[in-house]
Amino acid sequence: MNGRGDVVRAEIVRNALTAAAVEMSKTLVRTAHNPLLYDVQDFGLGIVSAEGLLWAEAPGITTFLGSLPDTIKGGLAIHGEEGFSDGDVVIVNDPYLTGTHISDVCVYMPVFHGDELVAFAAACAHWADVGGKTPGGFAADSTDVFQEGLRLGHQKLIHAGRPNRELWEVIEANVRFPSLVIGDLEAQIAACRQGVERVRALCRKYGVAAVREAMDLT
């Protein structure tokens, strides 16, 4: 990229991605079932490149935002770029994979333009319960992670648009407030879908190469 026009386009793309992340945040707040999300806003949402670089973020918990790139890189290490399909939804909350505690559940979706993986839309949010020995996921006297709750490690909740019903049922069966938790999970997915659509719109308008070059320039 070179010239003033390229710099202007880079600013347009950068701000459009930030606006997309903010829109994701608003979607989560409006659809969440849990006051930790719609009142406290205990979450972090962002758009991460296909290489695991943070492109955009919405105001949120700094720890969540800082952990999103490494969380996505962990998913890429497990699945590889070729292991993601359009319509996938992946979930992870294992503290050793996310860098936060087990109640902070990250949901992310790949963004494809044609057959090309461009980015990921990710939403990390504090669930009301993750099972374990105490309600709410706060077990200060735990001696190992297995006492803290259900651990998820980059499993696909939805694969190429088809829900993995068995995994949804495992989550419902292992939390104390299934309707609340599933409601928040669906809100996270809705937020990620919002991000996916906004990134796709940018790619349609400017092309994938221009979007990537704009973010490299910024």
Side-chain angles (χ1 to χ4, degrees), residues 111 121 192-202 204:
V111 183
C192 288
R193 285 181 174 147
Q194 195 74 40
V196 169
E197 289 307 312
R198 294 298 174 262
V199 176
R200 281 179 175 163
L202 272 177
R204 286 194 298 269

Side-chain angles (χ1 to χ4, degrees), residues 11 14 19 23 30 36 52 66 78-79 83 109 115 139-140 165 180 202 216:
E11 282 298 295
R14 180 180 67 82
E23 198 168 350
R30 290 170 178 166
L36 288 169
I78 290 172
H79 296 290
M109 295 182 65
D115 295 329
R165 294 297 181 191
L180 191 65
L202 272 177
D216 288 341

Side-chain angles (χ1 to χ4, degrees), residues 35-159:
L36 288 169
L37 304 186
Y38 61 74
D39 273 343
V40 180
Q41 300 189 17
D42 192 355
F43 55 65
L45 300 100
I47 296 168
V48 179
S49 76
E51 298 76 33
L53 302 176
L54 186 62
W55 274 359
E57 63 190 57
I61 302 298
T62 305
T63 302
F64 293 178
L65 297 171
S67 68
L68 287 181
D70 284 338
T71 298
I72 298 299
K73 288 176 184 176
L76 285 165
I78 290 172
H79 296 290
E81 282 194 23
E82 68 285 349
F84 291 98
S85 302
D86 191 16
D88 282 356
V89 176
V90 186
I91 187 169
V92 56
N93 75 328
D94 187 327
Y96 296 104
L97 300 177
T98 65
T100 64
H101 75 145
I102 203 166
S103 296
D104 302 329
V105 182
C106 183
V107 172
Y108 61 94
M109 295 182 65
V111 183
F112 283 89
H113 182 67
D115 295 329
E116 188 172 0
L117 178 63
V118 180
F120 295 88
C124 182
H126 188 132
W127 279 10
D129 190 71
V130 284
K133 61 182 291 188
T134 57
F138 293 103
D141 59 343
S142 293
T143 57
D144 61 44
V145 71
F146 300 101
Q147 298 173 11
E148 295 183 5
L150 180 66
R151 293 166 64 201
L152 300 160
H154 296 284
Q155 281 82 29
K156 291 188 179 182
L157 277 167
I158 301 175
H159 178 58

Side-chain angles (χ1 to χ4, degrees), residues 27 31 185-195:
T27 299
T31 57
L185 175 54
E186 290 174 340
Q188 287 176 266
I189 294 172
C192 288
R193 285 181 174 147
Q194 195 74 40

